[in-house]
Protein backbone atom coordinates (compact mmCIF):
# COMPACT_ATOMS: atom_id res chain seq x y z
CA UNK A 1 0.00 0.00 0.00
CA UNK A 2 1.31 3.38 -0.94
CA UNK A 3 1.82 5.76 1.85
CA UNK A 4 -0.21 8.95 1.80
CA UNK A 5 1.89 12.03 1.37
CA UNK A 6 2.18 14.14 4.44
CA UNK A 7 0.60 17.55 4.15
CA UNK A 8 2.74 20.45 3.51
CA UNK A 9 3.59 22.43 6.53
CA UNK A 10 0.98 25.14 7.45
CA UNK A 11 -1.92 23.40 5.68
CA UNK A 12 -4.86 21.78 7.56
CA UNK A 13 -6.15 18.72 5.87
CA UNK A 14 -9.81 18.70 4.84
CA UNK A 15 -11.94 15.93 6.27
CA UNK A 16 -12.76 13.16 3.94
CA UNK A 17 -16.33 13.12 2.69
CA UNK A 18 -18.71 10.73 4.54
CA UNK A 19 -19.69 8.24 1.93
CA UNK A 20 -22.45 5.77 2.88
CA UNK A 21 -22.82 3.20 0.23
CA UNK A 22 -26.23 2.02 -0.81
CA UNK A 23 -28.14 4.57 1.33
CA UNK A 24 -31.08 6.67 0.24
CA UNK A 25 -32.14 9.83 1.98
CA UNK A 26 -35.65 9.09 3.32
CA UNK A 27 -38.04 11.90 4.18
CA UNK A 28 -38.60 12.50 7.84
CA UNK A 29 -42.14 11.51 8.93
CA UNK A 30 -43.75 14.37 10.76
CA UNK A 31 -46.62 13.51 13.21
CA UNK A 32 -50.04 14.05 11.73
CA UNK A 33 -51.82 17.01 13.20
CA UNK A 34 -54.88 16.11 15.25
CA UNK A 35 -58.22 17.53 14.21
CA UNK A 36 -59.19 20.67 16.04
CA UNK A 37 -60.99 19.94 19.28
CA UNK A 38 -60.36 16.20 19.34
CA UNK A 39 -57.85 16.37 22.17
CA UNK A 40 -60.26 18.14 24.53
CA UNK A 41 -63.37 16.11 23.61
CA UNK A 42 -63.14 13.39 26.34
CA UNK A 43 -62.57 15.96 29.09
CA UNK A 44 -65.51 18.07 27.88
CA UNK A 45 -67.78 14.98 27.81
CA UNK A 46 -66.92 14.04 31.35
CA UNK A 47 -67.61 17.57 32.53
CA UNK A 48 -70.96 17.59 30.75
CA UNK A 49 -71.91 14.22 32.29
CA UNK A 50 -71.05 15.40 35.79
CA UNK A 51 -73.03 18.62 35.25
CA UNK A 52 -76.10 16.74 33.98
CA UNK A 53 -75.91 14.18 36.83
CA UNK A 54 -75.67 16.88 39.49
CA UNK A 55 -78.61 18.83 38.05
CA UNK A 56 -80.67 15.65 37.63
CA UNK A 57 -80.37 14.77 41.31
CA UNK A 58 -81.08 18.38 42.23
CA UNK A 59 -84.30 18.25 40.18
CA UNK A 60 -85.36 14.95 41.75
CA UNK A 61 -84.75 16.37 45.22
CA UNK A 62 -86.91 19.38 44.39
CA UNK A 63 -89.79 17.21 43.15
CA UNK A 64 -89.64 15.01 46.27
CA UNK A 65 -89.69 18.09 48.46
CA UNK A 66 -92.78 19.47 46.72
CA UNK A 67 -94.59 16.11 47.00
CA UNK A 68 -93.80 15.90 50.71
CA UNK A 69 -95.21 19.41 51.19
CA UNK A 70 -98.42 18.53 49.32
CA UNK A 71 -98.90 15.30 51.31
CA UNK A 72 -98.36 17.13 54.59
CA UNK A 73 -100.88 19.81 53.61
CA UNK A 74 -103.49 17.22 52.65
CA UNK A 75 -102.94 15.33 55.89
CA UNK A 76 -103.51 18.55 57.82
CA UNK A 77 -106.64 19.51 55.86
CA UNK A 78 -108.10 16.00 55.65
CA UNK A 79 -107.06 14.04 58.74
CA UNK A 80 -107.16 10.31 58.20
CA UNK A 81 -108.12 7.95 60.95
CA UNK A 82 -110.78 5.57 61.89
CA UNK A 83 -111.33 7.27 65.22
CA UNK A 84 -112.22 10.65 63.72
CA UNK A 85 -114.63 9.09 61.25
CA UNK A 86 -116.25 6.94 63.93
CA UNK A 87 -116.63 9.90 66.28
CA UNK A 88 -118.25 11.98 63.54
CA UNK A 89 -120.63 9.13 62.71
CA UNK A 90 -121.50 8.64 66.37
CA UNK A 91 -122.17 12.36 66.77
CA UNK A 92 -124.48 12.36 63.77
CA UNK A 93 -126.27 9.27 65.05
CA UNK A 94 -126.73 10.83 68.49
CA UNK A 95 -128.08 14.04 66.96
CA UNK A 96 -130.52 12.12 64.76
CA UNK A 97 -131.70 10.02 67.69
CA UNK A 98 -132.17 13.15 69.80
CA UNK A 99 -134.15 14.81 67.02
CA UNK A 100 -136.50 11.76 66.87
CA UNK A 101 -137.21 11.75 70.59
CA UNK A 102 -140.29 13.51 71.86
CA UNK A 103 -139.73 12.58 75.48
CA UNK A 104 -137.47 10.17 77.39
CA UNK A 105 -137.19 9.44 81.12
CA UNK A 106 -137.74 6.72 83.73
CA UNK A 107 -141.23 6.46 85.24
CA UNK A 108 -142.33 4.65 88.37
CA UNK A 109 -145.90 3.33 88.48
CA UNK A 110 -148.01 0.34 89.26
CA UNK A 111 -151.54 -0.76 88.38
CA UNK A 112 -152.26 2.46 86.53
CA UNK A 113 -153.20 3.51 82.99
CA UNK A 114 -150.70 5.76 81.24
CA UNK A 115 -151.14 8.34 78.47
CA UNK A 116 -147.93 8.47 76.41
CA UNK A 117 -148.98 11.32 74.08
CA UNK A 118 -148.65 14.03 76.72
CA UNK A 119 -145.37 15.66 77.80
CA UNK A 120 -144.53 14.18 80.19
CA UNK A 121 -146.66 11.02 80.03
CA UNK A 122 -149.45 11.14 82.63
CA UNK A 123 -151.42 8.59 84.58
CA UNK A 124 -154.87 8.41 83.14
CA UNK A 125 -158.14 7.90 84.94
CA UNK A 126 -159.76 5.98 82.09
CA UNK A 127 -158.14 2.72 81.09
CA UNK A 128 -159.91 2.53 77.72
CA UNK A 129 -158.70 5.97 76.56
CA UNK A 130 -155.15 5.51 77.83
CA UNK A 131 -152.29 4.11 75.79
CA UNK A 132 -151.23 1.31 78.16
CA UNK A 133 -152.30 -0.25 81.40
CA UNK A 134 -149.49 -1.70 83.53
CA UNK A 135 -150.48 -4.33 86.05
CA UNK A 136 -148.01 -5.30 88.77
CA UNK A 137 -150.34 -7.59 90.73
CA UNK A 138 -148.29 -10.71 90.06
CA UNK A 139 -145.01 -8.96 89.34
CA UNK A 140 -143.28 -9.78 92.60
CA UNK A 141 -143.73 -13.52 92.21
CA UNK A 142 -143.28 -13.75 88.43
CA UNK A 143 -140.72 -10.97 87.78
CA UNK A 144 -143.06 -9.79 85.02
CA UNK A 145 -145.51 -6.99 84.46
CA UNK A 146 -148.66 -7.33 82.38
CA UNK A 147 -148.98 -4.52 79.80
CA UNK A 148 -152.37 -4.09 78.12
CA UNK A 149 -153.22 -1.65 75.29
CA UNK A 150 -155.97 0.97 75.30
CA UNK A 151 -158.84 0.94 72.85
CA UNK A 152 -156.85 2.89 70.20
CA UNK A 153 -153.30 1.69 70.88
CA UNK A 154 -151.24 -1.46 70.38
CA UNK A 155 -148.59 -3.31 72.41
CA UNK A 156 -145.99 -5.93 71.43
CA UNK A 157 -143.24 -7.48 73.55
CA UNK A 158 -139.82 -7.25 71.89
CA UNK A 159 -138.21 -10.69 71.63
CA UNK A 160 -134.67 -9.43 71.02
CA UNK A 161 -132.04 -8.92 73.70
CA UNK A 162 -131.03 -5.42 72.58
CA UNK A 163 -133.13 -2.28 72.50
CA UNK A 164 -135.23 -2.18 69.32
CA UNK A 165 -134.91 0.64 66.82
CA UNK A 166 -137.79 2.75 65.60
CA UNK A 167 -138.12 0.69 62.43
CA UNK A 168 -137.92 -2.56 64.37
CA UNK A 169 -140.78 -1.47 66.65
CA UNK A 170 -142.87 -0.34 63.69
CA UNK A 171 -142.37 -3.72 62.05
CA UNK A 172 -143.27 -5.56 65.26
CA UNK A 173 -146.42 -3.47 65.73
CA UNK A 174 -147.75 -4.53 62.32
CA UNK A 175 -148.52 -7.83 63.96
CA UNK A 176 -151.67 -8.23 66.10
CA UNK A 177 -151.52 -6.51 69.47
CA UNK A 178 -150.92 -8.55 72.61
CA UNK A 179 -153.37 -8.19 75.47
CA UNK A 180 -151.67 -8.41 77.81
CA UNK A 181 -147.99 -8.53 76.91
CA UNK A 182 -146.02 -10.28 79.65
CA UNK A 183 -142.74 -8.38 79.95
CA UNK A 184 -139.96 -9.42 82.33
CA UNK A 185 -137.67 -6.86 83.95
CA UNK A 186 -134.74 -6.15 81.65
CA UNK A 187 -136.91 -6.68 78.55
CA UNK A 188 -138.43 -4.18 76.09
CA UNK A 189 -141.87 -3.65 74.61
CA UNK A 190 -143.17 -1.44 71.79
CA UNK A 191 -146.27 0.73 71.87
CA UNK A 192 -148.22 2.53 69.17
CA UNK A 193 -150.12 5.30 70.91
CA UNK A 194 -153.65 6.49 70.20
CA UNK A 195 -152.11 9.46 68.29
CA UNK A 196 -149.95 7.10 66.20
CA UNK A 197 -146.62 7.72 67.95
CA UNK A 198 -144.11 4.94 68.66
CA UNK A 199 -142.80 4.36 72.19
CA UNK A 200 -139.93 2.07 73.15
CA UNK A 201 -140.18 1.03 76.81
CA UNK A 202 -137.91 -1.09 79.01
CA UNK A 203 -138.87 -2.65 82.33
CA UNK A 204 -135.93 -1.52 84.46
CA UNK A 205 -137.01 -3.01 87.78
CA UNK A 206 -139.84 -4.41 89.85
CA UNK A 207 -140.13 -2.72 93.24
CA UNK A 208 -141.94 -3.15 96.55
CA UNK A 209 -142.41 -0.31 99.00
CA UNK A 210 -142.54 -0.51 102.81
CA UNK A 211 -146.27 -1.12 102.75
CA UNK A 212 -145.83 -4.13 100.51
CA UNK A 213 -147.26 -2.50 97.40
CA UNK A 214 -145.56 -3.70 94.24
CA UNK A 215 -144.69 -1.33 91.43
CA UNK A 216 -142.20 -1.06 88.60
CA UNK A 217 -139.83 1.40 87.00
CA UNK A 218 -140.13 1.87 83.25
CA UNK A 219 -137.57 3.57 81.00
CA UNK A 220 -139.87 5.32 78.51
CA UNK A 221 -138.85 6.88 75.16
CA UNK A 222 -141.60 8.39 73.03
CA UNK A 223 -140.67 9.26 69.44
CA UNK A 224 -142.02 12.02 67.23
CA UNK A 225 -144.59 11.24 64.56
CA UNK A 226 -142.27 12.32 61.74
CA UNK A 227 -139.31 10.33 63.10
CA UNK A 228 -137.73 7.96 60.65
Amino acid sequence: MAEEPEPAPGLVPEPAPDVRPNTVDEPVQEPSPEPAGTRDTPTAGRRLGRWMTAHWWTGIGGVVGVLALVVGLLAWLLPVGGDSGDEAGNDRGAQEAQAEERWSSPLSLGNAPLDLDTIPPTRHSDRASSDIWVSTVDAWSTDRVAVSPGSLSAVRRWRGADEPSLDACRGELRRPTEDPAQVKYGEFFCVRTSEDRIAVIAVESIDKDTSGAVGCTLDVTVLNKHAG
Side-chain angles (χ1 to χ4, degrees):
M1 180 180 291
E3 295 180 0
E4 293 181 359
E6 294 181 2
L11 295 178
V12 178
E14 294 180 358
D18 185 8
V19 179
R20 298 180 181 178
N22 300 327
T23 60
V24 180
D25 293 336
E26 296 180 357
V28 178
Q29 297 292 331
E30 297 290 338
S32 300
E34 296 180 357
T38 57
R39 181 172 297 177
D40 295 332
T41 299
T43 303
R46 285 193 295 272
R47 289 178 180 175
L48 179 60
R50 287 195 298 269
W51 180 85
M52 292 180 65
T53 301
H55 282 71
W56 187 83
W57 282 112
T58 302
I60 290 297
V63 172
V64 172
V66 171
L67 289 177
L69 180 62
V70 171
V71 171
L73 182 61
L74 290 176
W76 180 73
L77 293 175
L78 301 172
V80 179
D83 295 340
S84 299
D86 293 342
E87 289 176 3
N90 292 337
D91 290 342
R92 286 193 299 270
Q95 291 173 0
E96 292 173 359
Q98 188 175 9
E100 292 177 351
E101 290 182 3
R102 174 179 170 86
W103 188 86
S104 181
S105 183
L107 280 177
S108 295
L109 74 159
N111 294 321
L114 192 64
D115 186 353
L116 296 171
D117 286 315
T118 60
I119 299 178
T122 55
R123 292 173 177 81
H124 210 282
S125 58
D126 183 10
R127 175 177 176 177
S129 60
S130 65
D131 292 311
I132 56 174
W133 167 275
V134 181
S135 174
T136 57
V137 173
D138 298 325
W140 194 252
S141 59
T142 62
D143 291 334
R144 298 175 184 272
V145 297
V147 185
S148 299
S151 59
L152 299 176
S153 60
V155 175
R156 290 287 303 182
R157 181 174 73 88
W158 178 248
R159 269 67 176 175
D162 298 327
E163 179 179 358
S165 64
L166 171 63
D167 290 339
C169 264
R170 279 179 173 165
E172 184 67 28
L173 288 165
R174 292 190 181 99
R175 304 174 66 183
T177 185
E178 294 177 305
D179 187 12
Q182 300 288 339
V183 186
K184 187 178 180 180
Y185 75 91
E187 293 181 339
F188 297 87
F189 62 95
C190 302
V191 179
R192 184 179 64 248
T193 71
S194 59
E195 296 183 11
D196 205 28
R197 293 185 177 92
I198 302 297
V200 181
I201 302 175
V203 180
E204 282 199 346
S205 63
I206 296 174
D207 314 306
K208 181 186 289 187
D209 60 18
T210 55
S211 65
V214 178
C216 66
T217 300
L218 304 178
D219 188 2
V220 180
T221 299
V222 182
L223 304 173
N224 290 310
K225 284 184 178 181
H226 63 272

